[in-house]
Amino acid sequence: MNIMGRYKILFGIIFLFVLFGCSIQTDFYIQNFTQTKKTVKINYKKEVLKRLSSDYYGVYSFNSINDIVKPKAFKKNKNLKSVDKSVVDSSGIILEIAPQSTVRIEKNT
């Protein structure tokens, strides 16, 4: 095998290891298409109770719009309602989603 072939294999292996370690935080959206209020439980791997009590702006915030909208509507609208949430245990949150609405859960992996 020539030198270029070895470099391609080495580059491929390094590239795979780099990609396996990537995790980008993005917004997550839930839409309730029904005419009734829905309850959603979200489980986290990390302890959420401490993070909710401290000021983690944008990480554990839950905003909603009373309409079925695309994600771009959240960037345009500055008057977003906060969703009622209750902490079940140290790693779980329960959300009440209104009928015909869209909820944004910010910055989760």
Side-chain angles (χ1 to χ4, degrees), residues 79-100:
N79 298 323
L80 299 172
K81 293 188 335 181
S82 182
V83 177
D84 293 333
K85 60 185 172 287
S86 58
V87 178
V88 178
D89 53 17
S90 63
S91 63
I93 296 175
I94 292 182
L95 303 175
E96 295 288 331
I97 301 175
Q100 295 293 320

Side-chain angles (χ1 to χ4, degrees), residues 69-83:
V69 295
K70 294 184 178 184
K72 290 182 181 180
F74 282 89
K75 293 178 183 174
K76 295 176 185 176
N77 193 345
K78 299 298 179 192
N79 298 323
L80 299 172
K81 293 188 335 181
S82 182
V83 177

Side-chain angles (χ1 to χ4, degrees), residues 6-100:
R6 289 182 185 172
Y7 283 124
K8 285 181 184 179
I9 292 172
L10 182 63
F11 179 71
I13 291 171
I14 291 171
F15 185 72
L16 284 175
F17 279 113
V18 168
L19 287 181
F20 282 130
C22 293
S23 179
I24 300 170
Q25 290 187 338
T26 58
D27 296 337
F28 181 70
Y29 297 89
I30 299 174
Q31 294 180 327
N32 182 3
F33 289 101
T34 65
Q35 298 297 328
T36 59
K37 184 186 274 189
K38 296 294 179 184
T39 303
V40 176
K41 181 179 179 189
I42 301 172
N43 292 320
Y44 291 95
K45 290 182 180 179
K46 298 178 182 176
E47 189 172 325
V48 177
L49 191 59
K50 289 180 184 176
R51 294 173 187 250
L52 284 174
S53 61
S54 61
D55 190 20
Y56 275 80
Y57 176 75
V59 178
Y60 293 101
S61 61
F62 305 92
N63 302 315
S64 75
I65 295 177
N66 285 336
D67 195 11
I68 303 298
V69 295
K70 294 184 178 184
K72 290 182 181 180
F74 282 89
K75 293 178 183 174
K76 295 176 185 176
N77 193 345
K78 299 298 179 192
N79 298 323
L80 299 172
K81 293 188 335 181
S82 182
V83 177
D84 293 333
K85 60 185 172 287
S86 58
V87 178
V88 178
D89 53 17
S90 63
S91 63
I93 296 175
I94 292 182
L95 303 175
E96 295 288 331
I97 301 175
Q100 295 293 320

